[in-house]
Amino acid sequence: MKVLFENVAIRGMATAVPSECLDLFSLGSQFGEKEVKKLIASTGISKIRVAPPQVCISDICEAAARNLFQELAIEPASIDGVVLVSETPDYLVPPTSFILQEKLGLSKDIVAFDINHGCSGFIYGLYQASMLVSSGGCRRVLLCLGDVATRRVHPQDKAVRMMFGDSGSALLVERGAGSLRFHLMSDGMSHRALVIPAGGAKKPCDATTSLPEAYGKNNVRSEETLHMNGMDVMYFALREVPPMIEEMLADTGWSKEEVGTFALHQANRLILDQLVHKLKLPKEAVPFGVGEIGNSAPSSISTMLCVKHKQLEAEERLEKVVACGFGVGLSWAAVALDLSQTKILDVWEMPNA
């Protein structure tokens, strides 16, 4: 699917993270120091943010949104749409967007809903928010994204334990002098490559679903935690992402050299390096910014932009941006946009509760 939205702008972007940080080198006694060092070197992730038990994704996104409102002098009453993209909602019912509506003191005269999406969620959420604004139904939409991903990871599953972290972002999407060009794809035939088998209506949790099961080399997971086929996901990304980006460049008429930033889903450093090689991109145009935060799925792109924005602004790399997410679904999506007029804030660390 290809869509071009005119007169839509991203006014601001903010990210919040929990203050608690797990140094992955400390897991050497559990997984073996040599194996841990090898994984850190390949993924580029040496620390992950971990939300405490009482903190949910609504709390993290609330913190990001409040920071954004304060910086931009936004009145909550001016928001007429809330979209939350997350795989880790506060409750099964109601949607977490309603929880955010209450926390932020937003008007009752708004539309609010959740999108259950992961690694391409930044693009899918931005597409939905842009559609609400472009249709005329909303003037200003608060888009929130993020996961408390560490809740869905088995502590003895080193592949995902040493990759996923917790963060949340808030974007303000409104009518303005901008345009966003989208390209979105999905492949449900491959959904088993990233799946949590139990906990939904198809397989409710019971006495057996939390039991540990061994897989691979010294790894453990349960049916209630994330099952990831890392090789399948990497091959999928290397197969599908390059042609999508090439097609996006052709549609925009931009050359690779013109694009200041290729804001790719921050899966890990290894996948990004492979994509840089395959697309023949300059390495500095593909920033990696979650080495001390972790892959937070739907908020990984916005988290990276908040980490790297000062450097990208100084180097004038935000006027022509191609963002691309890929993963759960399986899905892959890209957007071409101008972020040079967007107020991007530093990552805000939440105080301890």
Side-chain angles (χ1 to χ4, degrees), residues 3 41 64 68 104 192 204 210 270-271 294 325:
V3 182
L68 191 62
L104 295 169
R192 292 176 184 82
S210 64
L270 175 62
I271 290 181

Side-chain angles (χ1 to χ4, degrees), residues 93-123:
V93 177
T96 304
S97 52
F98 286 74
I99 308 302
L100 273 169
Q101 179 193 18
E102 178 200 18
K103 285 176 176 287
L104 295 169
L106 305 183
S107 165
K108 292 181 181 179
D109 189 23
I110 67 169
V111 59
F113 55 88
D114 291 10
I115 299 176
N116 178 9
H117 229 303
C119 312
S120 60
F122 178 85
I123 317 296

Side-chain angles (χ1 to χ4, degrees), residues 36-333:
V36 165
K37 288 178 181 179
K38 180 181 176 182
L39 277 169
I40 290 172
S42 65
T43 65
I45 298 172
S46 60
K47 298 177 182 178
I48 58 170
R49 295 292 176 147
V50 181
Q54 72 277 14
V55 172
C56 298
I57 193 56
S58 68
D59 300 309
I60 303 176
C61 286
E62 178 195 6
R66 288 192 182 280
N67 199 20
L68 191 62
F69 288 176
Q70 180 176 345
E71 186 69 26
L72 298 180
I74 295 296
E75 289 295 330
S78 69
I79 303 295
D80 45 18
V82 180
V83 178
L84 174 82
V85 184
S86 181
E87 302 164 296
T88 57
D90 290 13
Y91 305 100
L92 288 177
V93 177
T96 304
S97 52
F98 286 74
I99 308 302
L100 273 169
Q101 179 193 18
E102 178 200 18
K103 285 176 176 287
L104 295 169
L106 305 183
S107 165
K108 292 181 181 179
D109 189 23
I110 67 169
V111 59
F113 55 88
D114 291 10
I115 299 176
N116 178 9
H117 229 303
C119 312
S120 60
F122 178 85
I123 317 296
Y124 272 81
L126 191 55
Y127 167 76
Q128 182 63 66
S130 301
M131 186 162 54
L132 289 170
V133 172
S134 182
S135 71
C138 294
R139 186 177 66 86
R140 178 173 284 163
V141 174
L142 176 66
L143 170 62
C144 292
L145 317 109
D147 274 348
V148 280
T150 56
R151 305 273 171 84
R152 301 299 190 186
V153 168
H154 196 284
Q156 293 175 268
D157 187 343
K158 68 175 180 291
V160 291
R161 174 90 186 278
M162 296 185 59
M163 190 181 304
F164 288 93
D166 302 334
S167 80
S169 299
L171 283 71
L172 207 60
V173 182
E174 60 184 21
R175 294 177 192 172
S179 63
L180 295 90
R181 184 182 297 275
F182 290 89
H183 190 177
L184 304 101
M185 300 283 286
S186 57
D187 176 18
M189 293 291 290
S190 302
H191 72 272
R192 292 176 184 82
L194 281 158
V195 63
I196 297 175
K202 186 175 181 66
K203 188 163 191 178
C205 295
D206 59 28
T208 66
T209 56
S210 64
L211 297 177
E213 54 184 52
Y215 81 101
K217 184 181 178 182
N218 301 321
N219 279 339
V220 173
R221 60 192 181 193
S222 79
E223 292 186 293
E224 296 178 16
T225 60
L226 181 65
H227 289 215
M228 181 178 75
N229 188 321
M231 294 307 295
D232 280 0
V233 174
M234 185 170 75
Y235 291 147
F236 146 75
L238 296 178
R239 181 180 69 248
E240 302 292 358
V241 170
M244 173 173 276
I245 290 179
E246 296 281 8
E247 196 167 346
M248 179 64 80
L249 293 173
D251 291 344
T252 58
W254 297 349
S255 68
K256 292 176 183 177
E257 293 72 26
E258 284 180 90
V259 176
T261 301
F262 290 89
L264 306 185
H265 166 53
Q266 305 284 286
N268 59 66
R269 180 78 266 181
L270 175 62
I271 290 181
L272 264 62
D273 285 346
Q274 292 290 325
L275 289 171
V276 165
H277 176 74
K278 195 155 189 176
L279 281 159
K280 297 181 172 59
L281 299 176
K283 194 167 184 178
E284 63 272 15
V286 188
F288 182 71
V290 300
E292 297 189 352
I293 296 174
N295 172 0
S296 55
S299 59
S300 82
I301 292 174
S302 45
T303 297
M304 178 277 291
L305 289 169
C306 289
V307 170
K308 294 287 189 178
H309 76 98
K310 287 181 179 175
Q311 177 186 345
L312 298 175
E313 289 162 4
E315 296 175 358
E316 299 183 343
R317 289 186 170 274
L318 292 175
E319 184 175 350
K320 292 182 178 180
V321 175
V322 174
C324 182
F326 46 88
V328 174
L330 291 173
S331 61
W332 60 112

